[in-house]
Amino acid sequence: MSSDSPEARPPVVTPVRVVIALCLFAPFVAMLWVGSYAKVDPAFIGIPFFYWYQMLWVLISTALTMTAYKLWQRDQRARPGGTK
């Protein structure tokens, strides 16, 4: 039997890959849903909510992207033929 048969290949969509997609998709949803943060209150050290919420998402996006990257590396190493 060849190695390209459906039984020999691991599934393309795995739970880890779903988590990776969610990590990368969450910042887009948060920033595109402007109605959820288009307000002044609550202010943080004098900065309106609209601005500090977006700046907070810069940090959150960095953490989520780093997490997705690490999960992707681990997923690739775990797959047959992956680099170690």
Side-chain angles (χ1 to χ4, degrees):
M1 199 186 273
S2 76
S3 63
D4 291 335
S5 66
E7 299 84 48
R9 290 188 306 207
V12 175
V13 178
T14 61
V16 171
R17 289 184 177 192
V18 171
V19 171
I20 291 169
L22 290 174
C23 284
L24 297 174
F25 188 65
F28 288 105
V29 172
M31 291 292 92
L32 290 176
W33 185 19
V34 178
S36 70
Y37 63 91
K39 51 190 169 186
V40 175
D41 290 326
F44 176 68
I45 60 170
I47 302 170
F49 181 74
F50 180 79
Y51 295 111
W52 69 258
Y53 178 81
Q54 291 178 64
M55 295 312 296
L56 179 64
W57 269 102
V58 169
L59 300 175
I60 294 169
S61 297
T62 302
L64 289 174
T65 303
M66 184 180 65
T67 301
Y69 177 69
K70 293 296 183 181
L71 287 172
W72 179 258
Q73 282 183 326
R74 187 171 59 171
D75 182 60
Q76 291 304 303
R77 282 192 304 266
R79 294 177 77 76
T83 58
K84 300 250 179 199

